[in-house]
Amino acid sequence: MDDKYDAATTSPDRLPGDAASIYGEDGAIEPNFLHEVAAAVKAGDAERVRALAGCLHEADLGGLLVALEPDLRPELVRVMGHDFDFAALTEMDDNIRDEILAELPNQTVAEGVRDLENDDAVTILEDLDAEDQAEILEALPPVDRAQLQRSLDYPDHSAGRLMQTTFVSAPPFWTAGQAIDVMRDTDEEHLPDSFFEIFIVDPAHRLLGNVFLDTLLRSKSAARLDEIMCVDRRRVEVMEDREEVALVFQRYNLVSVPVVDEAERLVGVITIDDIVDVIQEEADAEVKALGGVSENEELSDSVWWTAKSRFVWLFVNLITAFVASSVLGLFEGSLEKMVALAVLAPIVASQGGNAATQTMTVAVRALATRELSHANALRVILREVLVGAVNGAAFGAITGLVAGLWFGMAGVGVVIALAMLTNLVAGALGGILIPQVLHRFDIDPAVSSSPFVTTVTDVVGFASFLGIATFWFGLA
């Protein structure tokens, strides 16, 4: 065993800052550390498990759980007991979390979520069976139960599901010194784990503004909160989609944002750490969607579920492939007379498809981030068409030269050059227009654009190349 590693992992006094030593150069958890934890869990050695994993950050503890054998994951939770941080269960994919929770008594889960921030507790509870969820909620103190139930009642992907319900608020007539004294005298369990501001509310709990902590600490003790508060504080509605919330954070460079209901009453707060997760999840979903993969697919999914989830999109692509292939049937006579056309036709279609995918990717992302709108759509379309024309001319010249030398026929080079130019321009148009049309009809362009764009480039590629060849060589 490596001496440095051994010193870092076997000392019961290991500090949280040493958590990085559990990872190897490849970013994976060190096999030796994983073996030690697994052995301690199997032996039921609670003291040893706590010495090894008790100081880990929730993200590292979550990574450790994922790396362990499935049957050892719930055992680790049981062995660590009250020292296990249930926030670690939010740091893994849904399938693994559900498997762990299914093996734990509901009472254990209730005790674990009791000390979590509201948003983390919701993440753990939201996918449980209704019966288990109700039993866990029933085991919680009434106040915690009411807050969690209210959050769970909000729609999925809404700000209400994402927010924390623990925040600091104060009336406008309080002074800065009074607010600081009240926070100092308040039990830690009634304050958020971390916060950046206090919210100023009226007697009906409607949001009036906020005072950031740095402003509060710099102000005179006698200064009233309504004199130093920011009245134009950005806010989001509780039913607002989390993608819209993420755009607010991105646009205004926020670290937190208050959540209000339809009556402008303050009901929660969303912090930047939650939004980072949202942005990552949305980016992950978009990348998967572009490949025709369900946004819910995880590496831990079963073979059957994965195959079934991908089948539909592959079937759609198969249909569009038949449509594209039918174009070849229209030029059957030309293909029989000149073998070179059959060899070169896929090159034109493939190059057009690749260029269209580049344009489509830019368009889908720009629509998602609201960078592409009615105001600049025409300019962006023109730009993409010109890019397609420039690349089409360049690759047409290169392909035409190679094809002419390959088959010893200058005419073949001219034909494929013209077809390449035509198809790359068509691909650029399809790649930019199809996502916009789908978006206009409230159809997710990330999910639906690919087969349509591919069909356009295949059909135009085959038709242009074989049509120009038929005209040029008189093969009809």
Side-chain angles (χ1 to χ4, degrees), residues 206-437:
R206 287 189 293 265
L207 181 64
L208 301 176
N210 77 298
V211 178
F212 287 105
L213 295 185
D214 60 332
T215 301
L216 185 67
L217 294 174
R218 291 191 184 107
S219 300
K220 301 292 185 182
S221 295
R224 284 171 53 108
L225 295 182
D226 56 0
E227 296 173 347
I228 60 175
M229 73 179 183
C230 175
V231 295
D232 62 345
R233 180 69 165 105
R234 303 289 173 183
R235 63 196 69 186
V236 297
E237 293 185 1
V238 71
M239 301 298 287
E240 199 161 347
D241 188 271
R242 65 180 192 171
E243 287 187 53
E244 301 293 333
V245 178
L247 286 174
V248 171
F249 271 83
Q250 179 183 356
R251 184 173 296 146
Y252 300 108
N253 298 318
L254 303 177
V255 293
S256 65
V257 66
V259 183
V260 298
D261 63 13
E262 62 279 358
E264 288 294 308
R265 292 188 296 263
L266 181 65
V267 293
V269 60
I270 298 174
T271 53
I272 186 63
D273 58 316
D274 300 311
I275 291 301
V276 169
D277 292 337
V278 170
I279 293 172
Q280 181 180 355
E281 289 171 12
E282 294 300 330
D284 180 62
E286 287 181 11
V287 170
K288 288 178 177 176
L290 285 171
V293 177
S294 168
E295 65 177 272
N296 297 319
E297 182 175 320
E298 303 287 353
L299 291 178
S300 58
D301 290 330
S302 67
V303 171
W304 171 246
W305 191 94
T306 304
K308 185 172 62 173
S309 70
R310 297 182 186 180
F311 178 87
V312 174
W313 210 235
L314 289 174
F315 185 72
V316 172
N317 277 273
L318 178 63
I319 294 174
T320 58
F322 273 113
V323 173
S325 296
S326 67
V327 176
L328 295 175
L330 301 176
F331 298 93
E332 185 177 350
S334 300
L335 290 170
E336 289 177 350
K337 294 178 182 179
M338 187 176 290
V339 177
L341 299 183
V343 174
L344 296 173
I347 296 177
V348 178
S350 174
Q351 196 70 0
N354 291 333
T357 298
Q358 290 178 326
T359 304
M360 179 185 69
T361 301
V362 171
V364 169
R365 186 59 186 155
L367 286 169
T369 59
R370 309 297 172 84
E371 295 179 65
L372 180 57
S373 62
H374 297 297
N376 63 354
L378 186 60
R379 179 180 62 81
V380 176
I381 291 170
L382 180 60
R383 188 198 74 159
E384 292 301 325
V385 170
L386 291 175
V387 169
V390 170
N391 281 335
F395 283 102
I398 295 170
T399 311
L401 179 62
V402 173
L405 294 175
W406 185 3
F407 292 97
M409 299 174 62
V412 170
V414 173
V415 168
I416 197 171
L418 292 174
M420 188 73 76
L421 173 60
T422 302
N423 202 26
L424 262 67
V425 171
L429 271 172
I432 191 67
L433 290 178
I434 288 175
Q436 291 187 75
V437 171

Side-chain angles (χ1 to χ4, degrees), residues 46-308:
E47 183 178 350
R48 182 64 178 150
V49 173
R50 294 189 186 102
L52 290 167
C55 293
L56 294 180
H57 184 274
E58 62 195 50
D60 299 318
L61 185 56
L64 173 61
L65 278 168
V66 172
L68 286 171
E69 293 294 326
D71 60 322
L72 294 181
R73 293 166 183 163
E75 286 301 316
L76 174 69
V77 179
R78 292 191 186 99
V79 170
M80 290 190 69
H82 294 292
D83 291 324
F84 178 78
D85 184 358
F86 266 71
L89 297 181
T90 66
E91 303 290 339
M92 58 188 66
D93 72 53
D94 297 346
N95 291 329
I96 296 178
R97 178 170 60 248
D98 292 344
E99 289 173 3
I100 294 173
L101 292 173
E103 297 296 324
L104 296 176
N106 287 336
Q107 184 61 39
T108 300
V109 178
E111 292 173 0
V113 302
R114 184 176 299 163
D115 298 326
L116 295 182
E117 293 283 2
N118 192 80
D119 55 329
D120 289 336
V122 168
T123 298
I124 291 174
L125 297 179
E126 61 186 352
D127 293 327
L128 293 177
D129 294 337
E131 184 178 342
D132 290 330
Q133 191 180 99
E135 186 177 335
I136 292 169
L137 288 173
E138 190 62 32
L140 296 175
V143 174
D144 295 340
R145 179 168 64 248
Q147 289 179 341
L148 275 176
Q149 186 63 67
R150 184 176 62 176
S151 295
L152 289 167
D153 288 340
Y154 290 120
D156 195 14
H157 292 274
S158 67
R161 278 288 184 96
L162 197 62
M163 70 184 182
Q164 300 176 18
T165 55
T166 305
F167 51 84
V168 180
S169 61
F173 53 81
W174 275 13
T175 64
Q178 188 177 2
I180 293 173
D181 289 339
V182 169
M183 285 189 288
R184 283 175 177 163
D185 294 336
T186 301
D187 292 338
E188 287 189 17
E189 62 183 28
H190 298 302
L191 292 174
D193 288 342
S194 60
F195 59 101
F196 314 97
E197 61 196 318
I198 62 173
F199 299 104
I200 313 305
V201 296
D202 67 10
H205 218 65
R206 287 189 293 265
L207 181 64
L208 301 176
N210 77 298
V211 178
F212 287 105
L213 295 185
D214 60 332
T215 301
L216 185 67
L217 294 174
R218 291 191 184 107
S219 300
K220 301 292 185 182
S221 295
R224 284 171 53 108
L225 295 182
D226 56 0
E227 296 173 347
I228 60 175
M229 73 179 183
C230 175
V231 295
D232 62 345
R233 180 69 165 105
R234 303 289 173 183
R235 63 196 69 186
V236 297
E237 293 185 1
V238 71
M239 301 298 287
E240 199 161 347
D241 188 271
R242 65 180 192 171
E243 287 187 53
E244 301 293 333
V245 178
L247 286 174
V248 171
F249 271 83
Q250 179 183 356
R251 184 173 296 146
Y252 300 108
N253 298 318
L254 303 177
V255 293
S256 65
V257 66
V259 183
V260 298
D261 63 13
E262 62 279 358
E264 288 294 308
R265 292 188 296 263
L266 181 65
V267 293
V269 60
I270 298 174
T271 53
I272 186 63
D273 58 316
D274 300 311
I275 291 301
V276 169
D277 292 337
V278 170
I279 293 172
Q280 181 180 355
E281 289 171 12
E282 294 300 330
D284 180 62
E286 287 181 11
V287 170
K288 288 178 177 176
L290 285 171
V293 177
S294 168
E295 65 177 272
N296 297 319
E297 182 175 320
E298 303 287 353
L299 291 178
S300 58
D301 290 330
S302 67
V303 171
W304 171 246
W305 191 94
T306 304
K308 185 172 62 173

